[in-house]
Amino acid sequence: MQATDTRDPDYFHKVVDCQWACPAHTPVPEYIRLIGQGKYTDAYMVNWTSNVFPGILGRTCDRPCEPACRRSRVEENNGEKPEPVAICRLKRVAADFKDDISDRMPTIASFNGKKIACIGAGPASLTVARDLAPLGYHVTLFDGEKKAGGFIRTQIPKFRLPETVIDEETGYILDMGVDFKSGHRIDSMKSLMGMGFDAIFVGSGAPRGRNLDIPGREQAKSNIHIGIDWLASVSFGHIKEVGKKVIVLGGGNTAMDCCRSALRLGSSDVKVIVRSGFEEMKASPWEKEDALHEGIPIINFHVPKTFEHVNGKLSGMRFELVKAVFDEKGRRKLVPTGEPDAFFECDTVLLAVGQENAFQWIENDCGIQMNEWGMPDLNEKTFQSSVTNIYFGGDAAWGPKNIITAVAHGHEAAVSIDLFLKQQDVAIRPDPLTNLMSQKMGIHEWSYHNDVSNDTRFKVPWANAEKALASIRIEVELGFDAATAFKEAHRCLNCDVQTVFTTETCIECDACVDICPMDSLTITKIGEESDLRGRLKAPATNLSQDLFVSTTLKSGRIMVKDEDVCLHCGLCAERCPTGAWDMQKFLLNTAQAGESKHGATKTAEVA
């Protein structure tokens, strides 16, 4: 193996597993430390810079950071299933306890003469507006609804996300001078292209729910509803009750929102029925847990066969029972079990079997190339379409994802629009802004707390069940109080405080190897990666995480570190008699629109 080049920002970035996994690359350990210090407003602003909606995401994020959390990988003694730090819910703490942030909002530059249109006022478009409005661009948001937020407002039930939180965090952006055209739905791209905008961003989401065309669908249509449309009607108060026996079809987060909403609207019998296995459902694990916690059964391996009706009135559904069978290549196929069909009575069905984009308003002759699936042909890094001043993001780009992905798309599209309007190459992306700073204060004293907490993950309290289930608008999760947030923050392992090695100082005394509690350090002869991984003090089996390999030591051997299981406890640096190991806090912020294409990057020297 070659020596590791730690000057590459991605090397230490990848070690901060949570930040690496976050689509918007939020500096997670940085804001968790601030929460632990009671600096909630500072923690909020760290979040706001990257993920834009801390209060919203602190309640609704899909949490890609948490499965990546090092805590659940290295913890062995806290139960059968070690749990990650409650990163998402700590984000909410910052939002719940922050002070007024109006004086921390960006200064708005004078108008630069360029006008930008954003179609849809969802998270992707709002992120584009937030990034570009301070730079002097005149940004116009077009949306068919009265308020901004897109699917955040229309599809997420109020018992998960209060409207006041949406109003607050969309308001920060609209108050930057953004021109919000509410109730103005764009129905012709060609017309918009003729309105004099210098660039257009399409963040219209995936507005159409998929139908289920099986026998009985047309005859019983009055009692069968598309899930996302039904949720929007509930959100706006157009629907205030539902049938007593409800079947929800689908295994995603929309299905979970539908079933929990139906329960609150008075249904006494709600079932979720899916064609896949429980573990294969696309819904987030905590969404499934919440539905089960509220007594909603999830019935799997049932394929919808017919809608049963009597004279056009829905009476139930019939399902074929299937099982999963895997071929020699591990590919799954659902095959009938041969058992009799299952029948479930119902008077309402909510279809949550997927979403798709509806681009009928983009004319075939406007120049935007579409692929075979009816989606725009986009550059994956720049989000630029075949029309160079038109960009897509969020669900409108590559189909339904989640809020944090839409935010990440918005940031990247804003960079592209800014570069394009400055007549620069949109393919040359700005470097991230990075920094490494030693945490040493004395021989054995560090500026960060490096004791590893043994606490298991703390539970977020819920509202009284009887009260919560009685109303569609009472928030279920209450959030951590300050004391619990402090304790949960201390579960973070400070993965951004990196172990930085200096070859020239090492005397190969093995003190660091001996003291490492995870056996992640080894001084050994050089070799190929597959060979090295097998003969370390503890074999490094996680191929997705890198090995650190030093340059040649005085003996001709090398220092190897398995980055996968390091606790970042600093014992190696405390024990080293020559200071060859140092603990240095790494901070990476992805460059946003208006920042230099080659930001000042300062990282460690090559080991």
Side-chain angles (χ1 to χ4, degrees):
M1 286 189 72
Q2 298 296 314
T4 301
D5 184 359
T6 56
R7 292 173 299 187
D8 180 354
D10 275 355
Y11 179 75
F12 284 131
H13 184 194
K14 189 175 181 181
V15 175
V16 190
D17 305 86
C18 49
Q19 184 177 14
W20 180 261
C22 174
H25 301 301
T26 303
V28 174
E30 179 79 358
Y31 80 74
I32 288 180
R33 267 192 305 274
L34 290 168
I35 289 170
Q37 297 165 16
K39 298 178 180 177
Y40 306 115
T41 309
D42 292 338
Y44 185 89
M45 294 311 298
V46 167
N47 274 280
W48 189 84
T49 299
S50 63
N51 65 44
V52 185
F53 307 105
I56 292 169
L57 286 165
R59 292 165 166 83
T60 64
C61 190
D62 273 8
R63 315 180 199 177
C65 53
E66 292 190 13
C69 177
R70 183 177 300 265
R71 179 88 193 199
S72 56
R73 280 208 311 278
V74 302
E75 190 173 283
E76 296 178 350
N77 300 317
N78 280 346
E80 293 181 6
K81 188 180 179 183
E83 291 189 281
V85 176
I87 298 169
C88 179
R89 293 319 185 235
L90 286 173
K91 192 189 313 291
R92 173 180 170 174
V93 168
D96 286 353
F97 291 96
K98 72 180 186 308
D99 297 322
D100 179 35
I101 63 167
S102 56
D103 61 339
R104 300 199 186 202
M105 290 289 103
T107 301
I108 309 301
S110 57
F111 178 47
N112 62 16
K114 301 294 185 181
K115 298 190 299 181
I116 298 161
C118 292
I119 304 174
S125 291
L126 287 166
T127 300
V128 170
R130 199 220 63 172
D131 286 0
L132 295 181
L135 303 180
Y137 293 100
H138 184 273
V139 181
T140 303
L141 282 172
F142 295 95
D143 198 278
E145 303 298 343
K146 292 182 179 179
K147 288 187 173 184
F151 78 91
I152 292 174
R153 189 179 296 275
T154 61
Q155 294 177 33
I156 300 177
K158 300 301 179 284
F159 60 81
R160 289 181 57 208
L161 178 61
E163 194 160 13
T164 53
V165 179
I166 307 173
D167 291 341
E168 177 190 355
E169 296 196 324
T170 58
Y172 292 142
I173 299 167
L174 299 182
D175 289 344
M176 291 180 180
V178 173
D179 185 9
F180 179 43
K181 301 291 188 184
S182 63
H184 192 137
R185 190 177 301 278
I186 299 298
D187 55 15
S188 169
M189 175 60 84
K190 288 179 71 174
S191 295
L192 185 66
M193 292 169 70
M195 291 172 64
F197 289 102
D198 297 285
I200 295 172
F201 176 78
V202 181
S204 54
R208 187 168 62 190
R210 287 200 177 100
N211 195 12
L212 184 61
D213 188 13
I214 59 175
R217 173 66 175 94
E218 184 62 26
Q219 293 88 338
K221 62 183 180 181
S222 61
N223 298 106
I224 302 169
H225 309 282
I226 301 295
I228 61 170
D229 298 337
W230 184 82
L231 285 172
S233 295
V234 171
S235 177
F236 293 128
H238 304 320
I239 291 178
K240 297 181 180 180
E241 58 183 18
V242 70
K244 293 300 181 184
K245 294 185 177 182
V246 176
I247 288 176
V248 178
L249 298 179
N253 287 339
T254 298
M256 300 302 102
D257 287 340
C258 284
C259 69
R260 297 178 70 196
S261 296
L263 197 64
R264 286 161 171 79
L265 291 179
S267 177
S268 56
D269 181 356
V270 184
K271 298 181 180 71
V272 176
I273 303 181
V274 295
R275 63 172 61 231
S276 65
F278 181 84
E279 297 300 327
E280 297 166 298
M281 291 171 61
K282 292 183 178 180
S284 303
W286 46 90
E287 300 289 355
K288 294 187 285 186
E289 290 170 8
D290 289 349
L292 293 173
H293 176 78
E294 293 180 350
I296 300 170
I298 297 176
I299 301 168
N300 57 5
F301 291 124
H302 280 56
V303 175
K305 199 169 180 180
T306 61
F307 294 104
E308 299 293 323
H309 61 95
V310 178
N311 297 324
K313 183 177 181 181
L314 184 69
S315 59
M317 283 196 70
R318 197 168 299 280
F319 296 84
E320 182 178 48
L321 277 63
V322 296
K323 61 182 178 181
V325 175
F326 297 86
D327 64 18
E328 64 279 359
K329 294 183 178 180
R331 293 174 297 196
R332 191 202 69 159
K333 183 179 181 181
L334 296 177
V335 299
T337 64
E339 299 172 79
D341 290 346
F343 175 78
F344 296 97
E345 290 185 9
C346 65
D347 48 32
T348 305
V349 172
L350 303 177
L351 300 178
V353 292
Q355 294 169 233
E356 56 192 7
N357 291 85
F359 289 128
Q360 297 94 332
W361 54 276
I362 299 181
E363 295 87 350
N364 293 332
D365 59 350
C366 73
I368 298 175
Q369 294 179 7
M370 296 288 188
N371 61 27
E372 59 186 300
W373 298 284
M375 300 292 288
D377 253 334
L378 304 176
N379 182 293
E380 291 186 4
K381 290 186 177 180
T382 67
F383 296 83
Q384 189 177 45
S385 74
S386 54
V387 178
T388 55
N389 72 330
I390 298 180
Y391 300 80
F392 287 71
D395 292 355
W398 288 286
K401 293 289 185 181
N402 49 48
I403 300 171
I404 192 64
T405 299
V407 168
H409 289 184
H411 283 314
E412 292 296 333
V415 169
S416 296
I417 292 169
D418 182 51
L419 292 174
F420 173 79
L421 294 179
K422 290 177 178 176
Q423 298 184 329
Q424 297 177 11
D425 189 346
V426 299
I428 302 176
R429 313 304 287 178
D431 295 330
L433 307 176
T434 63
N435 188 42
L436 268 171
M437 182 178 294
S438 177
Q439 301 301 290
K440 187 178 284 292
M441 297 174 66
I443 295 176
H444 298 299
E445 187 178 8
W446 303 93
S447 64
Y448 80 105
H449 178 74
N450 64 344
D451 290 339
V452 177
S453 163
N454 290 321
D455 291 325
T456 56
R457 178 168 166 140
F458 291 89
K459 302 296 183 184
V460 178
W462 278 36
N464 173 270
E466 184 178 350
K467 181 180 178 182
L469 293 176
S471 171
I472 196 75
R473 294 185 175 272
I474 292 178
E475 189 171 13
V476 176
E477 286 194 8
L478 303 180
F480 287 137
D481 58 23
T484 309
F486 175 82
K487 290 183 286 187
E488 183 63 34
H490 276 70
R491 297 184 68 238
C492 178
L493 295 173
N494 296 295
C495 295
D496 61 338
V497 181
Q498 306 283 354
T499 53
V500 177
F501 183 71
T502 304
T503 301
E504 294 75 18
T505 314
C506 179
I507 59 174
E508 304 180 54
C509 66
D510 273 358
C512 59
V513 175
D514 291 341
I515 202 169
C516 178
M518 302 301 291
D519 291 334
S520 61
L521 300 176
T522 306
I523 299 177
T524 185
K525 65 180 181 179
I526 198 165
E528 296 299 324
E529 181 174 358
S530 57
D531 171 48
L532 272 179
R533 284 184 176 273
R535 57 182 170 86
L536 300 182
K537 192 172 182 183
T541 57
N542 183 2
L543 301 181
S544 66
Q545 188 58 273
D546 295 336
L547 295 179
F548 165 78
V549 177
S550 75
T551 51
T552 306
L553 300 167
K554 295 179 178 66
S555 67
R557 297 182 298 169
I558 54 172
M559 174 71 75
V560 183
K561 175 172 180 275
D562 179 9
E563 294 286 12
D564 183 46
V565 293
C566 173
L567 292 175
H568 296 247
C569 62
L571 288 174
C572 56
E574 286 188 8
R575 183 67 181 84
C576 180
T578 64
W581 286 107
D582 189 22
M583 304 304 293
Q584 298 187 14
K585 184 163 78 73
F586 173 78
L587 181 62
L588 179 143
N589 286 303
T590 53
Q592 295 182 0
E595 294 175 352
S596 169
K597 285 194 289 183
H598 301 287
T601 300
K602 177 187 174 187
T603 57
E605 296 298 319
V606 179

